[in-house]
Amino acid sequence: MTTSVSPSAEKSSQASLLVEQTRRRRAIVLLVLLVIAWGFNWVIAKMSLQYVTPVWVTALRLLPACALFFVLCLATGRLRVPVKADLPVIFSVGLLHMVGFSVLVSVGLQYLPAGKSIVLAYTSPLWVLPAAWFFLREPLTLRRLLGLLIGLSGIVLIMQPGQMDWSDSNIVLGHALVLAAALFWAISIVYGRAHKWVTPPFSLLPWQMLVGGLVQLALAWIIEGVPHIEWSLELFLLIGFNCLIGNGVAYWLMNLVSRDLPAGMVSMGLLGVPVIGLLCASVFLGETLGVPLLISAALIIVGIVLGTTASKKHT
């Protein structure tokens, strides 16, 4: 027995499919823009350090972005007062990612090239693998273990411990700070997976930014004192880009992309950030893209792909 489909139902189905395809294509374009924005943002962050001390840089870009998100959420009716159950994820993201990751990277950028910093910082997904196995009991399969080992080999290659001047405390500190930043980000990711979200993530973002921005402001005041900033058009543009594009618009794009594309596609797409960052560092900062750096980046990206994409048996 066959069932007939009415012309109106068929047209409605086709219209829904067309809308879904349009949203998907738009999301792919937005993902590309997001990757470009975040990749170029590393160059902007490095250039900003010529004018402002590192912790103040993070505060100056996050607090205005926080105000922007409060206005955006209020204007779209998505502003929510956090419930008690979501306070842990507000503080975990605000403190671990927005303070721990951002501040450590900003300080580390003083001592390392932007290209090397972005590759080291984007090792976070590698650290998620053992942490998720230990805390969340996610299986550490042979595929994931292989990805972890390949990624770690890329880290060893980029650091070149045999050739590093261990007597230069700045170089050692720079590597340690950026790797520590990656660990903070990884811990934030693992907790985000375990948390039982009550409020939509986008509605919590301004509160996370508020926590992060206020703590950054306090740290900047305590560690670096009253800022002595000589404002210029270039500095205003650098901070403005970092704040509006690198933080505000980028987080907004991430929200749209995560809504309309599969998580696996988003994760793989974001691997383009260090690639764009390396290219921008070469073009705008004149950094040399040596063979070891490029091979290291490739190994880390391959390791992340293997480690974060499940085989058919573990989908």
Side-chain angles (χ1 to χ4, degrees), residues 43-221:
V43 171
I44 299 297
K46 179 72 173 179
M47 295 173 66
S48 300
L49 294 175
Q50 301 175 49
Y51 304 95
V52 188
T53 50
V55 186
W56 274 110
V57 165
T58 63
L60 288 174
R61 70 192 182 205
L62 186 59
L63 285 171
C66 172
L68 175 66
F69 262 87
F70 268 107
V71 172
L72 181 62
C73 286
L74 186 62
T76 57
R78 300 170 73 178
L79 186 62
R80 302 285 187 275
V81 176
V83 298
K84 184 178 179 180
D86 280 329
L87 291 180
V89 82
I90 289 176
F91 283 95
S92 66
V93 173
L95 297 177
L96 293 173
H97 188 191
M98 296 182 179
V99 176
F101 178 81
S102 298
V103 170
L104 290 176
V105 161
S106 188
V107 177
L109 271 172
Q110 292 182 115
Y111 310 116
L112 293 180
K116 177 178 281 192
S117 298
I118 189 173
V119 173
L120 289 175
Y122 268 77
T123 60
S124 289
L126 295 177
W127 310 123
V128 168
L129 296 176
W133 166 75
F134 185 81
F135 292 105
L136 305 180
R137 297 295 182 259
E138 292 186 5
L140 190 58
T141 63
L142 181 61
R143 179 190 180 95
R144 289 173 176 170
L145 185 59
L146 179 61
L148 179 60
L149 292 175
I150 291 175
L152 290 176
S153 68
I155 296 174
V156 172
L157 180 60
I158 195 175
M159 293 183 66
Q160 296 182 298
Q163 300 180 25
M164 185 184 296
D165 184 2
W166 292 94
S167 63
D168 190 331
S169 59
N170 287 340
I171 292 178
V172 175
L173 180 62
H175 285 83
L177 288 173
V178 179
L179 282 175
L183 287 172
F184 273 106
W185 189 6
I187 297 170
S188 176
I189 292 172
V190 171
Y191 183 80
R193 287 185 186 177
H195 180 74
K196 290 181 170 54
W197 297 75
V198 178
T199 308
F202 188 78
S203 298
L204 291 182
L205 189 53
W207 300 101
Q208 293 165 340
M209 297 174 81
L210 180 62
V211 170
L214 291 177
V215 174
Q216 286 179 0
L217 182 64
L219 286 176
W221 197 277

Side-chain angles (χ1 to χ4, degrees), residues 9-57:
E10 185 175 353
K11 287 182 180 179
S12 176
S13 177
Q14 291 176 347
S16 298
L17 180 61
L18 181 60
V19 170
E20 181 65 28
Q21 291 174 341
T22 301
R23 287 181 61 174
R24 188 182 182 92
R25 285 195 293 267
R26 184 191 67 174
I28 291 174
V29 173
L30 294 179
L31 178 59
V32 172
L33 293 176
L34 174 64
V35 168
I36 294 172
W38 267 346
F40 186 63
N41 198 50
W42 282 78
V43 171
I44 299 297
K46 179 72 173 179
M47 295 173 66
S48 300
L49 294 175
Q50 301 175 49
Y51 304 95
V52 188
T53 50
V55 186
W56 274 110
V57 165

